[in-house]
């Protein structure tokens, strides 16, 4: 029973993360975002990029990357963020 509840909770979190769409300001922002998320690995499922991962933490990191981009951070600073936070 406990496993079922955990599985349902995980499924709900995953669906919630996938359901939220990112709205880009322009095509340059979208291209930069995609390039960054394809280069960075998901901290939960390290064999996938952040762009490919459906893990809830990957969704959170994608939003954080977009926030950092919009704050004017350089790509190197953005790439350093998950490294500093999760190692």
């Amino acid at each position: 029973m406990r496993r079922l509840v955990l599985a349902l909770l995980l499924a709900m979190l995953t669906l919630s993360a996938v359901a939220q769409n990112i709205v880009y300001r322009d095509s340059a922002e979208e291209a930069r975002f995609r390039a960054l998320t394809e280069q960075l690995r998901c901290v939960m499922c390290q064999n996938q990029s952040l762009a490919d991962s459906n893990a809830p933490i990957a969704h959170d990191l994608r939003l954080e990357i977009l926030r950092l981009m919009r704050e004017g951070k350089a790509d190197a600073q953005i790439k350093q963020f998950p490294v500093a936070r999760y190692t």
Side-chain angles (χ1 to χ4, degrees):
M1 180 68 169
R2 191 173 189 184
R3 287 184 185 177
L4 177 61
V5 171
L6 289 174
L8 288 173
L9 180 60
L10 182 60
M12 288 175 20
L13 287 171
T14 302
L15 288 175
S16 149
V18 171
Q20 297 177 20
N21 293 323
I22 294 175
V23 177
Y24 303 102
R25 293 178 178 166
D26 55 33
S27 60
E29 181 181 75
E30 181 179 3
R32 182 179 177 211
F33 176 81
R34 291 192 188 281
L36 284 166
T37 58
E38 287 172 3
Q39 293 171 24
L40 293 167
R41 300 282 114 200
C42 175
V43 298
M44 184 173 185
C45 46
Q46 295 177 353
N47 63 333
Q48 289 184 311
S49 70
L50 283 179
D52 295 332
S53 176
N54 289 326
I57 195 166
H59 174 72
D60 293 344
L61 282 170
R62 287 190 294 267
L63 293 178
E64 188 65 22
I65 287 168
L66 186 60
R67 184 186 68 76
L68 292 169
M69 286 174 49
R70 289 180 175 171
E71 285 181 1
K73 303 289 185 192
D75 287 2
Q77 292 172 302
I78 294 171
K79 290 176 186 178
Q80 186 58 36
F81 173 79
V83 174
R85 184 164 185 174
Y86 295 102
T87 58

